[in-house]
Amino acid sequence: MIVKVKGLVKRYDKLVALDYLDLEVAEGEIFGLLGPNGSGKTTAINCILSLLKYDKGSIEIFGKPMSADAYDIKKDIGVIMQNVAVFEALTVYENVHYFCSLYIKDKAKVKELTEEAIRFVSLEEYRNFYPKKLSGGLLRRLNIACGIAHKPKLIILDEPTVAVDPQSRNKILEGIKRLNQEGATIIYTSHYMEEVEQICTNIAIIDKGRVIAKGTKDELKSMISIGEKITIETYQGNENMVNELKAFPNVFSVELRDNRLEIKSNRGKNNLVHILDYLNKNQISFGRIVTELPTLNDVFLEITGKELRD
Amino acid sequence: MFQLYKARLKCLVRSKENIFWSYLFPILLATCFYFTFGNLWTFEDYESISIAYVSEGGQDDALKMAMEEAHTDNGTPLFVVNYTSEKEASKLLEDNEIEAYILGDSDPKLYIKNNGLNETIIKSFLDSYRRTSITVQTILNNNPKALEEGLLDDLMEAETFVYEVDNGKRPDVMLIYFYSLLAYTCLFASGWGLDEVINIQANQSHRGARVSVSPVHKMKLFLSNMLAAITAQAGGITLLFIYLYNILKIDFGDSLFPVIVTCMVGSFTGLALGAMVGALGKGKVESKEAIVTAIVLGSSFLTGMMIVNIKYIICKFAPFLNYINPAALITDALYSLYYYDSLHLFYINIGILSGLTVVFGFIAFLGIRRKTYASI
Ligand SMILES: Nc1ncnc2c1ncn2[C@@H]1O[C@H](COP(=O)(O)OP(=O)(O)OP(=O)(O)O)[C@@H](O)[C@H]1O
Ligand SMILES: [Mg+2]
């Protein structure tokens, strides 16, 4: 295991931010820590990095206990915090260079890695810009370059795409995948389920400082009962029809809202065929039909009874 | 480590705000002081200064004559001279009956209690007297008949001194402002110190968090950051000093070395003060900056940078303040260099100042040593 967190408890006065949190991240994973705002993602990361004191639990990184003085562990970690942390008075190049030189002694090597990191986030054109002159997305990319320039074995990213335009976001996500392909283990926190679904190989969903579910994205989805969501546009829906549909095999919920019939069903083949048969037989005309597989949001919804994002 | 130092130094000197407040502002202020007080100074509402003179000399005591004859442009005598024994003089000084006493005639020594305008006038007078008498001596040695030939008449005129002060060329009387300004600039190093500490404290800044997760030992970071701050400060204080000394020709006494030592120790005090405020507690960076600025301005204010009289009020009613106010310690060290030949008082002031610096530095160290926090 690259990272092993056991029974982590962290309190801020009375507020319990982490409640016996367990995490295990294996080598080569892109591990997603998914949770709504205030669920304790940042707190967990800060504890793992020994920036925060915690009340209980143990943290191991690379098989060794983590502490503030564990410099041999720290040298192989790259951190991209939730907040951009660069020096206003240094240019893009100088910023990356500074943070890289905290990790690497050899001057020539630092230069080389700095260049590489700037290329990696495609900021070549902006190398002599001061951070103030960069847009939000570019700034995030600089922030990432500063964290990964030294080629760490473990990269921790805390919501690196907050307030980023779609173009930069895709660049960032692709970059993370590439870093992973090059051998780095990644811990990625987010409250965007789409992102986590897109890149993570393993996911832990946390809420109120506790892991409420974990596994691969398919494992997580198979944990819940919804297999399929079918939405049908129709202007002829009525109570009777809703009740009859409810009696279908596999179907466990039917709702009629704004001329849209929403049917949730268990996993199973031919669910849609049976429903369309029924509509045809009863001569009910319908418009668009959308079928969706469950998302991580459905997983979260089913376990906690609330939406991942409001 | 040199790379870290270099990057930090770049950050410091590229900040326009820093450069303005630490480099340009003191020079602007010095220029203002120089022209305002240099020109406005007149003897119009001058009140004679009470002094005592202790001398075993006979009738034709040259210094006594000079003191009695000295007067300002409009005829007010410069001094009211009491002739007393040394013991009496020291008692009078203690009771604030007189502002100074002078001991001996051939090699006169000045004793004062406070530092201020009047003291400066007395000191300037005495300096000028010393210079004149050396000149007279030299001339007489070369040409024993000079006296009879009337060659010395001009020189003997005590008015020479008044003229010198009055034309504003010798700004000794406004030393209080320049010394306070120097103290202020020394202490302003606290801004650099604060910045540097904030930047390595994980609970104070995002940058601090970022460097804290790196494998560089915190004390090493602290050291390289502080070196950068010291370099930046040295630049500012050197610039001001050169400006005061070489361009405005401010008098810092006979030897420059202890003056430079004072500036150095004072700058360290400033740095340590800033580092301490930065390391203590969580607080917002802006409020910490405000606290540091308030301390620096406040302590400079108490030394009379804005209103000269403050200094006397403090001396009278809260003298202990002068022993813990770093700006007062710096100005007093500079005064003692200017007024006295002996370094005794200078050592006392520098000693206390160094003590304060060590205390500030130690508290800062305790705060910086911590690496994990209860909350960030
Ligand atoms: N310094 C602090 N003092 C007190 N409470 C805190 C502090 N930092 C965080 N909290 C609380 O701890 C809980 C977890 O916060 P945390 O920042 O870890 O959440 P998060 O999952 O990172 O949220 P977000 O998605 O908004 O970044 C929240 O309820 C938050 O209010
Ligand atoms: Mg967070």
Side-chain angles (χ1 to χ4, degrees):
Chain A
M1 286 295 145
I2 295 284
V3 178
K4 197 167 179 179
V5 175
K6 264 166 80 179
L8 194 60
V9 176
K10 166 72 191 168
R11 287 192 203 94
Y12 295 111
D13 292 325
K14 292 218 176 80
L15 187 134
V16 182
L18 297 178
D19 191 4
Y20 292 94
L21 184 87
D22 292 311
L23 293 176
E24 284 195 354
V25 182
E27 186 162 5
E29 274 184 349
I30 301 184
F31 184 87
L33 200 54
L34 180 67
N37 291 126
S39 54
K41 301 182 295 290
T42 302
T43 304
I45 298 296
N46 285 340
C47 287
I48 289 174
L49 292 170
S50 276
L51 290 175
L52 274 179
K53 276 193 198 114
Y54 44 89
D55 301 281
K56 263 189 202 160
S58 69
I59 294 166
E60 278 182 16
I61 302 183
F62 306 132
K64 287 172 277 190
M66 177 64 179
S67 74
D69 294 318
Y71 299 117
D72 57 328
I73 298 179
K74 285 178 163 188
K75 76 179 181 0
D76 288 322
I77 307 181
V79 183
I80 291 104
M81 303 272 186
Q82 185 165 5
N83 298 291
V84 174
V86 296
F87 293 102
E88 293 297 328
L90 296 182
T91 63
V92 165
Y93 179 87
E94 288 167 337
N95 262 302
V96 180
H97 188 277
Y98 178 81
F99 289 110
C100 187
S101 67
L102 291 174
Y103 291 82
I104 310 279
K105 291 244 160 59
D106 182 356
K107 264 185 170 178
K109 183 94 180 145
V110 172
K111 270 194 181 147
E112 191 187 309
L113 289 172
T114 303
E115 295 290 352
E116 201 176 321
I118 289 175
R119 244 179 291 134
F120 185 82
V121 295
S122 321
L123 282 179
E124 295 100 319
E125 285 173 57
Y126 303 94
R127 51 184 297 135
N128 293 323
F129 276 51
Y130 288 98
K132 223 184 279 169
K133 297 253 166 80
L134 298 180
S135 70
L138 296 176
L139 200 57
R140 286 273 161 187
R141 271 144 70 177
L142 169 61
N143 197 37
I144 292 174
C146 292
I148 54 128
H150 58 287
K151 295 215 179 282
K153 288 190 200 142
L154 169 66
I155 302 175
I156 300 178
L157 301 105
D158 193 0
E159 307 209 22
T161 57
V162 168
V164 165
D165 57 286
Q167 190 198 348
S168 275
R169 171 181 300 212
N170 277 335
K171 266 224 160 73
I172 291 171
L173 293 179
E174 272 160 32
I176 292 169
K177 271 190 179 163
R178 218 157 76 225
L179 287 169
N180 179 247
Q181 279 155 15
E182 285 166 17
T185 305
I186 314 264
I187 297 179
Y188 184 91
T189 87
S190 180
H191 62 265
Y192 294 117
M193 50 168 181
E194 302 90 344
E195 283 182 0
V196 172
E197 270 190 54
Q198 195 179 331
I199 63 166
C200 293
T201 51
N202 235 320
I203 300 161
I205 301 182
I206 71 169
D207 185 41
K208 296 189 179 140
R210 243 175 311 179
V211 175
I212 54 173
K214 60 181 160 190
T216 65
K217 119 183 118 180
D218 294 329
E219 280 169 356
L220 284 173
K221 287 179 185 173
S222 68
M223 279 166 62
I224 60 170
S225 43
I226 313 170
E228 211 172 0
K229 244 187 349 190
I230 302 170
T231 311
I232 301 169
E233 260 183 23
T234 172
Y235 291 93
Q236 292 169 296
N238 55 45
E239 271 306 300
N240 189 29
M241 183 178 118
V242 169
N243 287 332
E244 278 180 4
L245 279 171
K246 268 189 185 159
F248 271 57
N250 285 340
V251 170
F252 62 84
S253 104
V254 182
E255 270 173 72
L256 184 63
R257 244 196 258 142
D258 305 333
N259 297 321
R260 278 208 320 245
L261 204 54
E262 278 182 19
I263 303 163
K264 288 180 181 168
S265 66
N266 289 331
R267 264 170 305 276
K269 282 183 188 140
N270 304 328
N271 286 338
L272 184 59
V273 178
H274 295 309
I275 292 164
L276 292 181
D277 264 358
Y278 168 84
L279 294 176
N280 278 329
K281 251 186 231 157
N282 292 284
Q283 300 193 325
I284 298 168
S285 62
F286 52 86
R288 273 193 314 156
I289 299 179
V290 184
T291 73
E292 287 170 285
L293 291 173
T295 61
L296 289 177
N297 191 37
D298 295 313
V299 178
F300 191 78
L301 184 67
E302 182 151 331
I303 299 175
T304 66
K306 61 185 184 193
E307 299 271 338
L308 196 51
R309 261 190 295 154
D310 25 43
Chain B
M1 178 149 158
F2 180 68
Q3 298 202 27
L4 306 184
Y5 161 80
K6 212 169 66 180
R8 284 310 305 149
L9 188 60
K10 260 189 215 164
C11 286
L12 289 177
V13 300
R14 273 188 199 162
S15 150
K16 290 197 186 74
E17 253 172 65
N18 280 347
I19 292 301
F20 177 77
W21 288 108
S22 305
Y23 283 32
L24 294 180
F25 181 67
I27 287 189
L28 284 177
L29 216 55
T31 314
C32 285
F33 286 163
Y34 187 76
F35 285 107
T36 316
F37 304 118
N39 291 333
L40 283 185
W41 177 256
T42 63
F43 280 97
E44 214 112 277
D45 39 12
Y46 179 81
E47 270 182 51
S48 304
I49 307 166
S50 276
I51 58 172
Y53 182 46
V54 184
S55 161
E56 58 282 1
Q59 279 304 311
D60 43 68
D61 182 332
L63 178 55
K64 177 184 160 198
M65 272 161 57
M67 280 193 292
E68 283 175 353
E69 277 170 23
H71 55 79
T72 67
D73 270 358
N74 51 15
T76 319
L78 217 47
F79 305 116
V80 176
V81 190
N82 304 284
Y83 300 96
T84 62
S85 69
E86 187 178 351
K87 219 169 141 192
E88 251 177 282
S90 124
K91 173 122 191 4
L92 285 171
L93 186 65
E94 195 53 45
D95 298 342
N96 293 323
E97 297 287 329
I98 55 173
E99 306 229 14
Y101 66 91
I102 295 168
L103 199 63
D105 48 3
S106 53
D107 178 23
K109 288 209 164 48
L110 178 67
Y111 292 85
I112 56 172
K113 202 169 129 195
N114 301 325
N115 301 315
L117 229 49
N118 287 346
E119 284 76 4
T120 313
I121 291 174
I122 305 166
K123 153 84 173 163
S124 305
F125 169 81
L126 210 57
D127 281 350
S128 142
Y129 170 80
R130 278 199 197 111
R131 266 196 305 275
T132 316
S133 60
I134 290 169
T135 318
V136 170
Q137 215 71 56
T138 319
I139 295 175
L140 282 180
N141 283 346
N142 293 337
N143 178 7
K145 287 216 179 93
L147 202 57
E148 291 148 45
E149 290 166 10
L151 283 179
L152 297 177
D153 286 0
D154 274 358
L155 268 176
M156 300 292 271
E157 279 284 316
E159 216 172 334
T160 323
F161 164 71
V162 178
Y163 170 73
E164 276 187 67
V165 176
D166 204 23
N167 73 358
K169 284 252 166 55
R170 286 173 47 90
D172 299 356
V173 282
M174 21 178 207
L175 277 179
I176 195 164
Y177 290 107
F178 292 108
Y179 286 179
S180 305
L181 181 61
L182 212 51
Y184 162 83
T185 310
C186 284
L187 293 184
F188 212 80
S190 53
W192 310 106
L194 178 68
D195 240 24
E196 291 313 307
V197 166
I198 296 280
N199 271 324
I200 58 168
Q201 294 287 81
N203 63 341
Q204 305 273 312
S205 71
H206 302 313
R207 287 186 291 265
R210 181 161 238 163
V211 298
S212 296
V213 299
S214 81
V216 179
H217 196 284
K218 199 161 173 198
M219 280 304 148
K220 191 173 160 186
L221 275 173
F222 177 62
L223 219 67
S224 45
N225 282 20
M226 274 299 151
L227 277 179
I230 289 168
T231 313
Q233 167 68 9
I237 202 93
T238 308
L239 209 65
L240 177 66
F241 190 77
I242 289 177
Y243 185 70
L244 291 180
Y245 187 72
N246 291 331
I247 299 182
L248 299 189
K249 310 251 185 259
I250 306 296
D251 195 344
F252 286 101
D254 298 330
S255 100
L256 280 189
F257 180 68
V259 176
I260 291 167
V261 169
T262 310
C263 290
M264 275 166 51
V265 177
S267 297
F268 277 113
T269 314
L271 279 173
L273 173 71
M276 177 178 76
V277 175
L280 281 184
K282 199 160 158 357
K284 270 215 213 109
V285 176
E286 290 78 19
S287 29
K288 293 198 169 191
E289 274 167 0
I291 290 173
V292 163
T293 311
I295 294 177
V296 172
L297 282 180
S299 66
S300 302
F301 176 77
L302 293 182
T303 61
M305 187 162 96
M306 296 86 177
I307 305 165
V308 181
N309 285 339
I310 291 290
K311 196 165 171 66
Y312 308 125
I313 295 171
I314 299 285
C315 272
K316 257 203 186 119
F317 298 107
F320 69 93
L321 258 184
N322 279 339
Y323 291 103
I324 53 161
N325 176 357
L329 291 166
I330 297 172
T331 48
D332 285 351
L334 293 172
Y335 275 123
S336 69
L337 291 173
Y338 176 74
Y339 285 116
Y340 307 112
D341 297 327
S342 137
L343 289 176
H344 180 67
L345 251 175
F346 169 76
Y347 287 137
I348 292 180
N349 281 305
I350 289 295
I352 302 176
L353 196 62
S354 310
L356 271 182
T357 310
V358 170
V359 171
F360 292 165
F362 185 68
I363 297 174
F365 170 76
L366 290 183
I368 288 163
R369 221 176 31 154
R370 176 179 310 167
K371 292 171 192 138
T372 44
Y373 302 89
S375 146
I376 62 176

